[in-house]
């Protein structure tokens, strides 16, 4: 299911993007899927930010609905899913890097280098 | 007042940035201050997205608190303010451009060119 049935409030690409990404959690899920090898619900729950279970569940559904994430059952009884970014989801990497850079320079956070897989200052992302 | 008294939930620069920017409105205010010459409360209220007054008021206060925006009275009785981005606020331009690009490529929105001051496809930002 893609986003073609969604009524956007604006023709601006920034406003549109924020309808999907504009909250405290969604881009952290994308971060964990993209760089931290977290692919199950349990793994995604273990982030430093301690995302509430219901928020994680709702955000994952939305990411799937919008075609940024796919899920595949890897176990029956109980059924468990593995989550992966699609191309549209992976295309958020430059945006994540820009947010990280701004936060690093202005809010004193850590700067994780996804290429080297290392943290280049105190803290980490 | 700067953000030194704020207790961040995470050392990750992305999570920190989202504590300030992670909602549907804040980056649209930054967009309007940065590119659209909107500098008064009245002007900022006229965006296509029709931001509710109380949200605009609260977000502006937060942006001032965090040192991304300054305000200066330009009129008494009633007092009216002019809002401007600080250097820290203007440093969000590459991030805005990345969000716009992603939205344009993936959500079919408009792509505004802030250098040419033109819209290069249907819609606008």
């Amino acid at each position: 299911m893609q986003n073609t049935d969604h009524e956007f409030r604006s023709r601006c690409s920034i406003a549109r993007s924020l309808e999907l990404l504009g909250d405290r959690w969604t881009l952290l899920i994308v971060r964990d899927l993209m760089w931290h090898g977290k692919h199950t619900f349990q793994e995604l729950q273990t982030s430093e930010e301690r995302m509430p279970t219901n928020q994680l569940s709702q955000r994952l559904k939305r990411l799937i609905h919008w075609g940024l994430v796919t899920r595949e059952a890897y176990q029956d009884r109980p059924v468990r899913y593995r989550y992966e970014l699609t191309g549209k989801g992976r295309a958020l990497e430059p945006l994540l890097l820009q947010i990280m850079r701004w936060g690093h320079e202005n809010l004193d956070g850590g700067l994780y280098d996804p290429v080297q897989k290392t943290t280049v200052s105190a803290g980490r992302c």
Side-chain angles (χ1 to χ4, degrees), chain A:
Chain A
M1 182 158 44
Q2 298 300 314
N3 55 46
T4 45
D5 57 342
H6 182 83
E7 185 83 29
F8 284 103
R9 65 181 164 160
S10 166
R11 288 170 303 160
C12 167
S13 294
I14 298 172
R16 286 173 181 237
S17 300
L18 292 174
E19 286 192 44
L20 171 57
L21 307 172
D23 64 67
R24 289 183 165 209
W25 301 112
T26 301
L27 285 171
L28 298 182
I29 298 172
V30 174
R31 173 200 66 183
D32 287 348
L33 290 167
M34 181 119 48
W35 294 333
H36 294 312
K38 298 185 177 182
H39 294 284
T40 66
F41 197 90
Q42 282 75 7
E43 287 168 348
L44 289 164
Q45 274 190 301
T46 64
S47 298
E48 184 185 7
E49 294 85 13
R50 297 206 203 104
M51 196 176 324
T53 304
N54 60 331
Q55 303 266 9
L56 174 58
S57 173
Q58 191 226 344
R59 295 304 190 289
L60 278 171
K61 279 201 189 102
R62 258 181 36 187
L63 286 165
I64 291 167
H65 175 79
W66 285 74
L68 274 72
V69 167
T70 54
R71 72 172 194 180
E72 200 174 328
Y74 71 89
Q75 178 192 296
D76 282 339
R77 301 186 203 176
V79 65
R80 295 209 190 281
Y81 296 101
R82 181 177 168 84
Y83 299 89
E84 298 274 4
L85 291 173
T86 63
K88 193 189 278 199
R90 280 193 301 274
L92 286 167
E93 189 163 30
L95 172 52
L96 279 188
L97 289 168
Q98 280 295 343
I99 295 176
M100 193 191 302
R101 180 178 306 276
W102 186 84
H104 177 65
E105 291 173 357
N106 294 283
L107 304 176
D108 200 29
L111 185 65
Y112 175 80
D113 182 334
V115 176
Q116 300 290 329
K117 306 270 184 200
T118 56
T119 300
V120 299
S121 75
R124 63 189 175 78
C125 262

